[in-house]
Amino acid sequence: MAIIYIGIGSNLGDKEGNCKTAIERLSENGITVKKTSSPYRTKPWGVEDQPDFVNMAVKAETNINPSELLPILKTIEKRDGTAGRRALGPPVSSISTCFFMMTW
């Protein structure tokens, strides 16, 4: 079982709701969510002419290996409308694997 930490963020629409939806979708895809942080607001980085972000961190467990996990996370992002956006532009939700640790 691997312990993973995932960063989730949104800066469009119901930002907090978008983050919670992304967390629910993790659970639908073989990722067991163990803990979530409180939502926190951050200023955009890079392209600053966009709304502030709501970000959350997720601690989870999975038996999915890293090479299979990335496409799952990207699919969740695409379902929420990040496909085709400009680089560093506003996502409905964004998901990043921050840390992946195998435990035996």
Side-chain angles (χ1 to χ4, degrees):
M1 183 74 61
I3 297 172
I4 58 175
Y5 292 89
I6 300 169
I8 295 177
S10 175
N11 74 338
L12 295 177
D14 177 7
K15 301 170 194 180
E16 201 168 317
N18 295 335
C19 289
K20 290 178 181 177
T21 297
I23 292 167
E24 290 169 8
R25 291 192 178 150
L26 294 173
S27 297
E28 295 167 2
N29 285 277
I31 300 165
T32 304
V33 175
K34 293 299 194 177
K35 289 184 181 182
T36 61
S37 70
S38 298
Y40 58 95
R41 294 196 179 275
T42 59
K43 296 285 184 195
W45 177 88
V47 178
E48 296 179 6
D49 65 336
Q50 58 182 324
D52 288 352
F53 282 81
V54 168
N55 294 289
M56 296 179 75
V58 176
K59 177 183 180 181
E61 292 180 344
T62 189
N63 286 320
I64 302 167
N65 69 50
S67 64
E68 294 171 341
L69 180 63
L70 183 60
I72 290 169
L73 297 180
K74 292 300 176 189
T75 298
I76 293 169
E77 278 188 322
K78 287 178 185 174
R79 282 178 55 185
D80 288 334
T82 59
R85 70 180 170 97
R86 67 181 174 165
L88 300 177
V92 172
S93 68
S94 177
I95 302 174
S96 302
T97 305
C98 301
F99 184 74
F100 192 105
M101 178 176 70
M102 298 297 294
T103 59
W104 306 102

